[in-house]
Amino acid sequence: KSKNNPKKMKFAELDTEKAEQKLIESKDDGWAERRGIAMALEECANTGKLEGDLSELFKFLQFEGIADRDDLVRSAMLKAGVSLIKNYGQDGRFLTKCEHAISTTPEKDINEFKYDLRKQGNVVLLGAAAAHLDPENPKVVSVAQSLCKALTIPSEDVQIAISDCLVPLCKTAAIKKSGSK
């Protein structure tokens, strides 16, 4: 009879809802706020009206944002970085920063997972920065090769971002001259 008792069923449902809510609250580490910040940064970058030295903002995105512990935050931070490069990277200032980040070895205090996330994100940022290179620049070829190697990264967001970067690079004169290299 207790199974059919509506009072007991409602109590059990409420108890389950409370447990689920507590679980959600215990896992909430501020990811929504961090994602909101990333989305705001992307929108600010898209306005084209940011002023001043953007190197600290880019450094934050490059080393912290794209290595966030939450997938949604990482994806939003990566989009913000690509937008920043797209709208403010015409002078090539971000290209060398990306190359440097990719070529460095991990610091002793960073875990391997976070290092891999940084490297993956910086490959995508490198592709976005390479879009500003002169189409005749032979550096386009090495960037395209790095991007092709990075397509093995098992992340759909990263693969989509890389393919978005590769398409315009593959149409450049430098790639056409390199042939099958």
Side-chain angles (χ1 to χ4, degrees):
K1 283 188 171 182
S2 64
K3 288 183 181 178
N4 294 330
N5 186 337
K7 286 184 181 179
K8 287 200 178 207
M9 288 180 71
K10 286 187 178 188
F11 178 75
E13 288 172 10
L14 287 174
D15 200 38
T16 303
E17 285 178 23
K18 284 181 184 176
E20 287 175 356
Q21 184 62 34
K22 283 185 179 184
L23 180 63
I24 290 169
E25 288 171 3
S26 71
K27 289 187 174 192
D28 183 11
D29 62 351
W31 70 268
E33 291 85 357
R34 293 192 312 277
R35 183 172 180 232
I37 290 169
M39 293 167 74
L41 289 172
E42 179 184 9
E43 287 303 312
C44 288
N46 285 334
T47 66
K49 296 181 180 179
L50 292 176
E51 296 179 6
D53 184 9
L54 300 174
S55 61
E56 286 301 312
L57 173 58
F58 188 71
K59 185 177 180 181
F60 164 75
L61 291 170
Q62 189 180 30
F63 289 99
E64 298 303 322
I66 61 175
D68 193 273
R69 62 188 164 274
D70 184 86
D71 292 343
L72 293 172
V73 175
R74 269 195 312 275
S75 179
M77 291 286 184
L78 188 59
K79 288 178 182 178
V82 169
S83 293
L84 191 66
I85 290 169
K86 180 181 173 187
N87 293 292
Y88 300 94
Q90 296 86 349
D91 60 2
R93 63 177 136 173
F94 300 123
L95 185 73
T96 55
K97 293 177 187 297
C98 294
E99 289 175 323
H100 176 71
I102 291 168
S103 66
T104 59
T105 56
E107 302 100 37
K108 290 181 182 183
D109 63 334
I110 189 171
N111 68 38
E112 190 175 329
F113 179 69
K114 191 168 185 170
Y115 173 74
D116 288 344
L117 292 173
R118 279 185 186 168
K119 195 162 189 165
Q120 292 170 12
N122 275 289
V123 168
V124 174
L125 296 175
L126 176 66
H132 293 297
L133 288 173
D134 182 300
E136 299 285 334
N137 190 330
K139 197 171 216 176
V140 171
V141 175
S142 65
V143 170
Q145 289 171 338
S146 294
L147 292 173
C148 286
K149 287 178 188 172
L151 282 170
T152 61
I153 295 169
S155 163
E156 185 178 358
D157 286 342
V158 172
Q159 291 172 352
I160 289 169
I162 290 170
S163 65
D164 289 344
C165 297
L166 272 173
V167 171
L169 289 180
C170 290
K171 295 178 183 177
T172 63
I175 295 288
K176 290 177 183 174
K177 283 182 187 176
S178 73
S180 62
K181 291 181 186 176

